[in-house]
């Protein structure tokens, strides 16, 4: 994966994780799972674009 | 002719392994009454996340020039040989991750019907429309020649019936099945499993926020 794309994907993962944390509110466990799941989706998109 | 038959067999296998996604919903439905929703959701989410991580690791190994032959044979058995239909074998991961996203959103809202309806739309809708279209499809849809009218109708009915049996909510199931069929018919390069699940979830979420349809 090229460098700018990597930066964008990293930013996107962090952004999504933050969003998940904020929406989680009183349920931090769910927010962590949501963040993990969203990051996995971003990574999968990156991997499928690369191959 | 022989090549075409091989492609047909692979398509059938792929659609059948697609329907195996139903075990996710059935597990959630039955096990959550035994062990509680939270525990079952946690187990399912952990499984999907580890499986996706495993798959990504496999892909990295393949790019590095160390493919795992046994797994390649397994993908072929499940209907997705590598190198020919490159897009197909990502679909299991997309399904797992998007249905997990829906499940987590459902848990946040405290209402699992979102997961059941979105899951039915993607598993039953997509699976049955593919199988029916393959066996009985005659009338091609004008704006998307790879889909047929028969397949679309069967997919819609299966998605509606599945959603209704899981949730007992006819209005919401109808909305989910309609949205799922519409997204399925729309010609798009993005993976079906991702677009159908996310769109149905979003529409049902809107319906819930706008009110009236949810009890």
């Amino acid at each position: 994966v090229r460098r700018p794309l990597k930066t964008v994907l990293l930013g996107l993962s962090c952004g999504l994780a933050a969003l998940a944390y904020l929406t989680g509110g009183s349920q931090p466990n769910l927010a962590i799972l949501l963040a993990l799941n969203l990051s996995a989706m971003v990574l999968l998109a990156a991997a499928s674009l690369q191959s | 002719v022989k090549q075409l038959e091989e492609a047909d067999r692979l398509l059938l296998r792929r659609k059948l392994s697609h329907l195996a996604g139903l075990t996710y919903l059935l597990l959630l439905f039955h096990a959550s009454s035994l062990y509680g929703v939270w525990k079952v959701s946690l187990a399912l989410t952990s499984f999907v996340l580890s499986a996706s991580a495993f798959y990504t690791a496999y892909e990295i190994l393949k790019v590095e020039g160390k493919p795992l032959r046994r797994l390649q044979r397994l993908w072929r058995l499940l209907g997705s040989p590598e190198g020919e239909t490159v897009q197909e074998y990502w679909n299991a991961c997309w399904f797992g991750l998007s249905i997990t996203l829906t499940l987590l959103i459902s848990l946040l809202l405290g209402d699992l019907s979102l997961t059941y309806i979105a899951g039915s739309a993607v598993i039953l809708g997509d699976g049955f429309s593919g199988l029916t279209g393959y066996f009985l499809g005659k009338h091609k849809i004008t704006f998307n020649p790879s889909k047929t009218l028969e397949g679309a109708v069967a997919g819609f009915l299966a998605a509606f019936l599945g959603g209704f049996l899981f949730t007992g909510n006819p209005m919401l199931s109808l909305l989910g099945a309609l949205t799922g069929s519409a997204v399925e018919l729309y010609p798009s390069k993005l993976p079906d499993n991702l677009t159908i699940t996310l769109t149905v979830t979003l529409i049902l979420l809107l319906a819930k926020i706008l009110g009236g349809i949810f009890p």
Side-chain angles (χ1 to χ4, degrees), chain A residues 24 27 29-30 33-34 36-38 40-41 44-45 47-48 51, chain B residues 38 42 45 49 59 90 93-94 97-98 100-101 104 107-108 194:
Chain A
Q27 288 169 292
N29 295 339
L30 269 181
L33 285 179
L34 207 56
L36 272 176
N37 195 69
L38 288 168
M41 286 174 103
L44 191 68
S48 65
S51 75
Chain B
W38 175 241
L42 193 64
T45 306
L49 285 175
E59 280 297 321
W90 295 99
C93 278
W94 281 124
L97 289 177
S98 44
T100 308
L101 187 66
L104 293 172
L107 285 174
L108 273 176
L194 177 74

Side-chain angles (χ1 to χ4, degrees), chain B residues 47-148:
Chain B
F47 171 74
V48 168
L49 285 175
S50 352
S52 311
F54 180 72
Y55 186 72
T56 311
Y58 161 77
E59 280 297 321
I60 291 170
L61 277 175
K62 208 175 70 185
V63 171
E64 302 268 317
K66 294 169 213 150
L68 302 172
R69 303 273 174 217
R70 261 188 211 165
L71 281 181
Q72 285 184 333
R73 278 203 291 276
L74 180 68
W75 306 150
R76 192 176 183 86
L77 197 71
L78 294 175
S80 298
E82 302 211 317
E84 292 162 41
T85 48
V86 181
Q87 282 302 312
E88 298 296 344
Y89 51 84
W90 295 99
N91 279 352
C93 278
W94 281 124
F95 166 70
L97 289 177
S98 44
I99 196 77
T100 308
L101 187 66
T102 307
L103 176 65
L104 293 172
I105 292 173
S106 302
L107 285 174
L108 273 176
L109 294 173
D111 186 346
L112 282 185
S113 45
L114 242 75
T115 311
Y116 292 126
I117 292 172
S120 301
V122 68
I123 300 164
L124 295 171
D126 203 7
F128 273 97
S129 67
L131 286 175
T132 313
Y134 175 77
F135 284 115
L136 305 169
K138 294 247 159 47
H139 305 86
K140 287 196 191 308
I141 294 201
T142 44
F143 55 90
N144 189 356
S146 64
K147 305 279 161 79
T148 63

Side-chain angles (χ1 to χ4, degrees), chain B residues 117 160 170-180 200 203-204 207 213:
Chain B
I117 292 172
F160 172 71
M171 278 311 286
L172 213 59
S173 310
L174 188 70
L175 187 66
L178 273 177
T179 315
V200 172
I203 296 285
L204 293 183
I213 296 174

